[in-house]
Amino acid sequence: MANFTTMTGFILMGFSDIQELQTLCGVFFLAIYLAILMSNFLIITLITLDLKFQTPMYYFLKNLSLFDVFLVSVPIPKFFVNSLTHNNSTSVLGCAFQILFMTSFSAGEIIILTAMSYDRYVAICCPLHYEVIMTSGTCLLMVVVSWAMGLLFGTVYTAGTFSMPFCGSNVIPQFFCDVPSLLKISCSETLGIIYTSLGIGMCLCMSCFISVVISYFYIFSTVLKIPTTKGQSKAFATCIPHLTVFTVFTATACFVYLKPPSNVPSISDRLFSVLYTMLPPALNPVIYSLRNNDVKCALRRLQQNLCPRGSHHLTFQSPIIYKSVF
């Protein structure tokens, strides 16, 4: 009989054992975290206030920014506090909540990205039927499904993970709790529940990936048939930001979860986890706003509203019904 001991908590590995470097890492991560919050909340504010952005594409973008804010807010504040207090311990309940929220927001984000690819497909391949297909009710349903499915997968993963007994070392070789690390310290001889959960998660990811690939196959086929270079450039301009965001998100996730397992903790594993956690939320607002003239104009109008000159004030454009970009 194995001698199981009840785990009362876990130790999260940081990036250094030197207290000064721990503090420096914590402050550095906090600065990036605040920048991510400011940029994403700016996107959310602009889309909410400016009636020009009341279209499906920006409606999905607002929810994507919300997912990014919540996703990055799960591990980074805890890591910052641990770095300043030089205490890397976390309770079992705190670890469970980290896995629940990280899994929920990650699953929800990939589903909302899939919905955005479908929106681009309808806009480019079926422009005459866009208003009929992408109604406000349809968009709301897609968003609700994204949040609900994300929460469902997070609950299943968390329940499956913490249904197992843990023994041996309580050190997690990450700066946040994740399922692969907890599997390494599990004493369970039957991992049917967690492997079933992982299988369902892989099915979800592959389904979303295949859906996006199919959408862009038809999108590129349609765009290449446009006779003018200007029309092709306009069509590609509406798709490249989303395709870039989706590629960054899936690529960083693959680096973290599909790499060969290693019994020896390495700093590269934690660096890849940082990229997966912070890179997509940091890049998304830049990718969608850097070359987007509508966002730049909305930002200038917001600045004029916050800092009026004389009697000038912000005047939003008249409401626009959901419609195609063409």
Side-chain angles (χ1 to χ4, degrees):
M1 293 291 291
N3 184 19
F4 295 160
T5 56
T6 303
M7 287 284 185
T8 59
F10 301 99
I11 303 297
L12 302 174
M13 292 184 65
F15 292 91
S16 175
D17 294 329
I18 304 174
Q19 292 189 354
E20 290 77 10
L21 289 179
Q22 288 179 3
T23 303
L24 182 62
C25 286
V27 173
F28 176 71
F29 275 61
L30 178 64
I32 298 178
Y33 172 66
L34 293 177
I36 291 173
L37 290 187
M38 290 176 60
S39 59
N40 279 282
F41 276 127
L42 180 60
I43 293 294
I44 294 171
T45 301
L46 290 176
I47 294 176
T48 302
L49 295 180
D50 200 324
L51 295 177
K52 183 178 182 180
F53 294 138
Q54 304 308 305
T55 62
M57 182 177 71
Y58 289 107
Y59 179 64
F60 291 135
L61 177 58
K62 181 170 70 172
N63 281 273
L64 177 65
S65 293
L66 283 173
F67 276 119
D68 285 337
V69 168
F70 290 137
L71 179 62
V72 78
S73 296
V74 176
I76 302 304
K78 175 65 175 175
F79 175 75
F80 171 70
V81 172
N82 288 350
S83 299
L84 291 186
T85 59
H86 310 297
N87 178 15
N88 293 332
S89 64
T90 184
S91 65
V92 174
L93 183 61
C95 191
F97 274 115
Q98 276 200 338
I99 290 181
L100 171 64
F101 292 134
M102 288 288 290
T103 307
S104 298
F105 298 139
S106 297
E109 182 155 339
I110 195 171
I111 296 174
I112 202 73
L113 285 170
T114 305
M116 294 174 74
S117 71
Y118 178 73
D119 170 69
R120 293 300 84 206
Y121 161 76
V122 176
I124 294 175
C125 299
C126 310
L128 298 180
H129 300 90
Y130 185 81
E131 295 181 11
V132 177
I133 298 175
M134 299 302 296
T135 62
S136 58
T138 301
C139 295
L140 178 61
L141 178 62
M142 289 182 176
V143 169
V144 170
V145 168
S146 300
W147 287 93
M149 290 296 292
L151 182 60
L152 175 62
F153 275 96
T155 303
V156 170
Y157 265 69
T158 306
T161 302
F162 285 90
S163 66
M164 305 179 299
F166 299 101
C167 63
S169 174
N170 66 339
V171 177
I172 296 178
Q174 283 288 4
F175 70 98
F176 63 91
C177 293
D178 65 341
V179 175
S181 298
L182 290 174
L183 285 177
K184 294 178 181 179
I185 61 176
S186 170
C187 300
S188 177
E189 297 179 357
T190 58
L191 302 177
I193 297 178
I194 188 62
Y195 283 140
T196 300
S197 303
L198 291 173
I200 295 174
M202 286 299 298
C203 289
L204 170 68
C205 294
M206 290 304 300
S207 299
C208 292
F209 180 79
I210 293 173
S211 298
V212 173
V213 170
I214 293 175
S215 296
Y216 275 101
F217 172 79
Y218 285 106
I219 287 172
F220 289 149
S221 299
T222 302
V223 171
L224 293 177
K225 295 178 182 177
I226 298 177
T228 63
T229 304
K230 183 178 179 181
Q232 291 181 353
S233 300
K234 183 180 179 182
F236 278 126
T238 66
C239 298
I240 294 303
H242 169 265
L243 188 58
T244 304
V245 168
F246 181 80
T247 302
V248 169
F249 182 78
T250 53
T252 52
C254 289
F255 273 120
V256 174
Y257 294 109
L258 296 184
K259 62 180 178 56
S262 174
N263 294 326
V264 180
S266 64
I267 191 69
S268 61
D269 293 339
R270 277 160 277 169
L271 289 177
F272 281 133
S273 296
V274 170
L275 292 177
Y276 166 68
T277 306
M278 303 188 71
L279 187 61
L283 289 182
N284 290 355
V286 177
I287 293 172
Y288 271 101
S289 61
L290 188 61
R291 299 181 61 183
N292 192 317
N293 290 327
D294 291 336
V295 174
K296 293 178 182 179
C297 292
L299 181 58
R300 284 194 292 268
R301 292 195 295 271
L302 180 62
Q303 291 175 335
Q304 293 173 1
N305 187 45
L306 296 177
C307 304
R309 296 180 180 178
S311 59
H312 293 286
H313 61 278
L314 178 64
T315 302
F316 290 118
Q317 299 189 16
S318 58
I320 296 180
I321 306 300
Y322 289 157
K323 64 180 181 180
S324 168
V325 293
F326 298 98

